[in-house]
Amino acid sequence: MTLTPEQVRELIVRLLSDIAPEVDLDARPDRDLQDELGLDSMDFLNLMVGIHDATGIEIPERDYARLATLDGALGYLSGRPAPLTA
């Protein structure tokens, strides 16, 4: 099974709502999540771990910057095979 953009978006919104309950990703999907939502590095790491736990997709640390925005995360994760369901 591959992840659709809608599944990726749902997953990220769900994970971020646990980390930053006031999240509003509709406003600026091209903005840096850490800057836009006031996330610290541990919050962002928790997001990466949450994505891995939910999908089984390995995200190397060198690729974290590619997932810094919602648009980037959609581009990085959409269409990837997911060993687990999102």
Side-chain angles (χ1 to χ4, degrees):
M1 173 176 142
T2 59
L3 293 171
T4 66
E6 294 79 21
Q7 288 171 316
V8 172
R9 188 178 198 312
E10 271 181 32
L11 172 63
I12 290 173
V13 167
R14 180 171 48 86
L15 293 170
L16 283 173
S17 69
D18 292 338
I19 296 168
E22 68 285 349
V23 68
D24 178 15
L25 294 176
D26 291 326
R28 308 291 294 263
D30 61 333
R31 299 288 301 262
D32 184 278
L33 293 171
Q34 287 182 276
D35 291 342
E36 195 71 11
L37 303 176
L39 304 178
D40 62 25
S41 58
M42 188 54 106
D43 291 333
F44 190 76
L45 179 60
N46 286 334
L47 175 61
M48 297 298 105
V49 170
I51 291 170
H52 175 264
D53 289 348
T55 65
I57 295 173
E58 293 288 334
I59 305 170
E61 189 175 344
R62 69 179 176 271
D63 288 349
Y64 286 2
R66 296 176 61 189
L67 288 97
T69 66
L70 179 59
D71 286 347
L74 290 171
Y76 186 89
L77 297 167
S78 296
R80 286 190 179 236
L84 308 173
T85 55

